[in-house]
């Protein structure tokens, strides 16, 4: 019934009938497509992105698992790529629009209600974001020379951030909060937005090892710990390096995109995004290690164990 009530194409409806589906903790109905969980509302956007998005060699795609710091990275990459016009001017787009309006998402925004949006007015280099797993990317993204910047975060903070975010959205919609234990169980068995979390991270981690000039792999924790070095690394990767002996231009971007600065802007405190979600929900604490205030020691141990089992052989640590 929920699926029937959604505004979906016939093709999408047909496909959903053939996919494993269940009730999600972030959506009444979710579907396992190409090994990852998607909510009904985004399925048309996923299919249209795969079929119709044509990457250009000069494109930059910012890819994340939800709640890994997408909002932060959107602001940082926009400021990096728009340095020539970057100034203290009050007209700067990040002062007037949410980072999610400045850098649009493919499958959850541009393509969600429009199978073939007109992207011709976007200036080069085009910057888009996506949560799609590596194996579900449109063919042209892989075959072109476009660059992918991937950001993930330790699974304990990612889960906690996701749980808080989904509850805020649910409370706004009068759906009531999700019990944490239920959401946690599902997260652990891989059922989360664009999850399994570990498979998502591994897909991009392996791609970054195999194609280091195409895929850059970043961690939220590293960005917090050594922001200047990490932003310099990203700038070098994108072909717009900072000069070696000057930290001030790097620091200027970091200050502009800091949690304090962005979260205090009127444009990020009030109003809703294209999908009806409050802009302020994208700014909660912005800290590393907040899981300690939310997860029991047993829950933390369980997530650590899964992460160790899945990642340690590959040298990936959180
Ligand atoms: P917390 O819920 O732990 O505070 P996303 O942007 O992928 O939805 O991720 C949201 C998380 O990033 C939230 O984490 C949010 O507070 C944090 N965040 C948002 N803006 C940030 C910034 N400028 N710097 C650091 N963290 C930020």
């Amino acid at each position: 019934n929920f699926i029937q009530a959604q505004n979906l194409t016939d093709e999408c409806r047909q496909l959903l009938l053939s996919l494993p589906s269940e009730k999600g903790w972030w959506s009444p109905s979710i579907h396992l497509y190409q090994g990852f969980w998607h909510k009904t509302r985004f399925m048309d956007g996923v299919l249209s992105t795969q079929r119709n998005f044509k990457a250009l060699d000069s494109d930059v795609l910012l890819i994340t698992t939800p709640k890994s710091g997408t909002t932060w990275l959107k602001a940082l990459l926009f400021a990096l790529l728009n340095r020539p016009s970057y100034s203290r001017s009050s007209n700067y787009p990040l002062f007037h629009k949410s980072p999610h309006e400045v850098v649009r998402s493919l499958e959850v925004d541009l393509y969600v209600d429009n199978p073939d949006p007109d992207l011709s007015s976007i200036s080069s280099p085009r910057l888009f974001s996506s949560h799609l797993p590596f194996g579900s990317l449109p063919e042209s993204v892989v075959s072109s020379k476009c660059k992918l910047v991937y950001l993930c975060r330790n699974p304990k903070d990612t889960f906690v951030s996701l749980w808080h975010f989904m509850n805020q959205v649910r409370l706004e919609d009068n759906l009531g909060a999700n019990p944490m234990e239920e959401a946690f169980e599902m997260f652990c068995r891989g059922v989360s937005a664009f999850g399994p979390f570990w498979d998502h991270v591994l897909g991009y981690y392996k791609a970054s090892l195999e194609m280091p000039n195409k895929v850059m792999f970043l961690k939220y924790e590293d960005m917090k710990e050594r922001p200047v070095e990490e932003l310099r690394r990203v700038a070098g990767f994108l072909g717009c390096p900072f000069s070696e002996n000057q930290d001030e231009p790097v620091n200027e971007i970091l200050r502009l995109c800091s949690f304090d600065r962005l979260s205090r802007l009127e444009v990020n405190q009030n109003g809703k995004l294209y999908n009806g979600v409050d802009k302020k929900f994208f700014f909660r604490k912005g800290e590393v290690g907040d899981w300690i205030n939310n997860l029991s020691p047993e829950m933390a141990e369980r997530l650590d164990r899964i992460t160790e089992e899945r990642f340690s052989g590959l040298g990936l640590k959180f």
Side-chain angles (χ1 to χ4, degrees):
N1 285 352
F2 177 80
I3 295 177
Q4 257 143 30
Q6 300 284 303
N7 182 18
L8 299 171
T9 59
D10 287 343
E11 182 200 7
C12 187
R13 258 177 229 285
Q14 277 308 112
L15 173 70
L16 293 186
L17 290 176
S18 69
L19 299 179
S21 300
E22 59 177 273
K23 181 173 171 289
W25 54 282
W26 67 102
S27 168
S29 172
I30 56 170
H31 315 278
L32 190 65
Y33 174 63
Q34 298 181 336
F36 290 83
W37 290 100
H38 300 275
K39 68 180 196 176
T40 312
R41 170 88 185 104
F42 294 155
M43 275 305 297
D44 260 319
V46 170
L47 299 180
S48 300
T49 302
Q50 290 186 317
R51 180 171 306 158
N52 296 333
F53 177 69
K54 298 284 174 283
L56 305 177
D57 287 343
S58 53
D59 285 351
V60 175
L61 257 67
L62 174 180
I63 306 181
T64 56
T65 49
K67 302 297 128 197
S68 302
T70 320
T71 316
W72 187 20
L73 192 62
K74 282 187 177 190
L76 286 171
L77 292 194
F78 179 83
L80 251 184
L81 295 176
N82 292 279
R83 260 188 285 166
S85 58
Y86 173 70
S87 70
R88 283 155 207 84
S89 143
S90 59
N91 289 332
Y92 198 60
L94 287 171
F95 298 143
H96 299 286
K97 290 179 179 179
S98 150
H100 295 281
E101 294 163 321
V102 174
V103 180
R104 306 278 300 271
S105 301
L106 294 175
E107 74 283 353
V108 303
D109 172 8
L110 285 166
Y111 285 83
V112 80
D113 287 322
N114 185 348
D116 210 359
D118 180 8
L119 308 177
S120 60
S121 63
I122 304 177
S123 56
S124 178
R126 305 185 308 176
L127 178 57
F128 299 104
S129 83
S130 174
H131 291 313
L132 284 177
F134 187 74
S136 293
L137 288 173
E139 197 274 325
S140 65
V141 171
V142 183
S143 61
S144 71
K145 292 195 175 109
C146 80
K147 299 222 172 200
L148 313 184
V149 180
Y150 182 73
L151 175 68
C152 60
R153 187 180 191 185
N154 82 72
K156 290 178 287 191
D157 284 338
T158 304
F159 168 73
V160 167
S161 182
L162 193 58
W163 182 73
H164 280 291
F165 177 82
M166 293 307 174
N167 279 347
Q168 280 181 307
V169 174
R170 288 173 65 91
L171 289 175
E172 189 80 352
D173 295 342
N174 293 321
L175 290 171
N178 258 320
M180 180 181 266
E181 290 67 24
E182 214 174 275
F184 183 79
E185 280 305 316
M186 291 181 94
F187 187 87
C188 286
R189 69 179 173 89
V191 186
S192 65
F194 297 89
F197 169 86
W198 295 272
D199 292 348
H200 201 285
V201 175
L202 279 177
Y204 285 95
Y205 183 64
K206 287 180 185 164
S208 74
L209 297 179
E210 283 159 19
M211 297 173 275
N213 295 326
K214 182 169 183 74
V215 185
M216 168 163 255
F217 185 88
L218 298 171
K219 291 193 226 162
Y220 182 90
E221 293 74 21
D222 294 344
M223 301 269 299
K224 285 291 243 185
E225 198 181 311
R226 30 174 207 278
V228 174
E229 289 89 329
E230 289 299 277
L231 193 56
R232 277 186 177 283
R233 219 159 61 80
V234 178
F237 173 75
L238 294 180
C240 52
F242 293 96
S243 75
E244 290 252 334
N245 43 14
Q246 278 186 321
D247 272 352
E248 185 43 29
V250 189
N251 280 321
E252 193 172 13
I253 290 180
L254 288 170
R255 276 197 302 274
L256 172 82
C257 302
S258 70
F259 181 88
D260 281 352
R261 179 87 170 93
L262 287 183
S263 63
R264 283 192 197 142
L265 290 175
E266 212 274 333
V267 68
N268 290 323
Q269 283 183 348
N270 298 309
K272 292 176 189 289
L273 282 182
Y274 51 86
N275 53 8
V277 174
D278 281 34
K279 294 178 186 176
K280 64 173 183 292
F281 292 170
F282 290 89
F283 301 91
R284 193 179 63 93
K285 288 189 168 180
E287 290 167 5
V288 173
D290 184 49
W291 61 266
I292 202 133
N293 302 311
N294 292 269
L295 300 182
S296 69
E298 293 74 30
M299 287 167 130
E301 259 170 47
R302 183 154 163 214
L303 280 183
D304 283 345
R305 214 170 34 245
I306 301 173
T307 306
E308 170 80 17
E309 276 166 22
R310 297 297 313 276
F311 289 173
S312 68
L314 292 149
L316 185 53
K317 286 208 180 339
F318 280 93

